[in-house]
Amino acid sequence: MPKNSEAVPAAAPRRRRPPARKRAGIGLLLASATALYPAVSGDWHRTAARFEHTSGRGPLHSHTAQGATSVHSPGHTPWNATFGSYVLCSAGGADVEIEDIRYSAPVGPQDVTFALRTVSAKDRASSPAVTPVGAALGKPPDLHSGPLPGRLADAGAGSRVTQSCADEDEEGAGFTELLFVLRVGESGGWIDRAWIDYRVHGRPYTLRLDWQMIACGDDVPPVNGDETCAGAA
């Protein structure tokens, strides 16, 4: 798990989904992203017959909490930053069908794509060092830190999460991780909240992710009072 305001040092540097700004249901601005599902301060909220909740308050869980992670620019543009540690699992063990992934971005990236990374127990047994991605320079499967183990698939409408939270708790178990891949220019990119719309047994829910993803650039201000991009190239 990334620590709050943890910066990834600068370094020398799939069928893609359409740019997020052109996809229905995804807003690059806070106003558009919250038009149907307004942000609330509580752990759950009901809008338009859909239950919005934080992790631990609904069928779909994510291993994240409130905080922020930043990636410094490598010194050229455009560039990519990958944010993970959204390890997803089904609390009751039933399959989760993803309907959409939405976000709000005070500083809009040039493009955002989503991937589901599946790491099996066999993958972890062969390399115990295989862990979720905190934040990294580059895009899957070839991050600047090296190849990313596991199977990658586009995430979005029709994707399924079959990992049970009970099974995930077993030692050496595999995991399913949602990755956000940001392509940014000189202005950078800042996603301050995201939502996963999904169904379980036909019932609609929304998991709200409050972790903030920051790709440093000229337009990214201090986040939560912290200079998360201090010293960036």
Side-chain angles (χ1 to χ4, degrees):
M1 285 282 295
K3 297 180 180 178
N4 290 1
S5 302
E6 175 185 358
V8 176
R14 287 172 305 116
R15 193 178 71 209
R16 292 176 63 86
R17 303 183 72 222
R21 64 174 62 89
K22 296 181 181 179
R23 293 179 56 237
I26 293 182
L28 289 180
L29 300 176
L30 179 61
S32 59
T34 58
L36 294 179
Y37 304 98
V40 292
S41 58
D43 290 329
W44 67 271
H45 189 59
R46 181 173 182 168
T47 54
R50 179 182 292 274
F51 286 93
E52 179 180 313
H53 63 89
T54 54
S55 187
R57 300 290 183 171
L60 181 62
H61 288 202
S62 172
H63 289 198
T64 55
Q66 292 183 344
T69 306
S70 60
V71 178
H72 284 181
S73 167
H76 64 79
T77 57
W79 58 283
N80 296 282
T82 297
F83 297 88
S85 288
Y86 301 105
V87 177
L88 305 177
C89 65
S90 172
D95 285 5
V96 172
E97 180 181 358
I98 294 176
E99 294 184 303
D100 198 7
I101 301 171
R102 303 176 289 116
Y103 61 88
S104 68
V107 179
Q110 292 180 354
D111 187 26
V112 180
T113 55
F114 313 100
L116 276 181
R117 177 192 179 205
T118 302
V119 175
S120 67
K122 184 178 180 179
D123 292 332
R124 299 198 73 184
S126 63
S127 178
V130 174
T131 60
V133 176
L137 193 63
K139 63 179 180 179
D142 299 314
L143 303 179
H144 183 262
S145 56
L148 188 63
R151 181 172 58 85
L152 293 170
D154 290 342
S159 300
R160 290 183 177 272
V161 176
T162 60
Q163 177 77 52
S164 164
C165 294
D167 292 341
E168 186 184 79
D169 289 338
E170 296 178 3
E171 184 176 356
F175 59 86
T176 300
E177 179 181 25
L178 175 63
L179 302 175
F180 288 71
V181 184
L182 279 60
R183 177 183 173 89
V184 301
E186 291 184 359
S187 61
W190 171 23
I191 292 177
D192 66 351
R193 182 168 290 180
W195 296 263
I196 303 175
D197 298 330
Y198 69 96
R199 287 181 179 268
V200 174
H201 298 310
R203 296 188 63 186
Y205 300 86
T206 295
L207 170 61
R208 190 176 78 244
L209 304 173
D210 293 324
W211 197 274
Q212 304 196 51
M213 297 164 272
I214 304 159
C216 294
D218 294 344
D219 292 348
V220 177
V223 176
N224 297 334
D226 294 328
E227 291 287 352
T228 56
C229 290

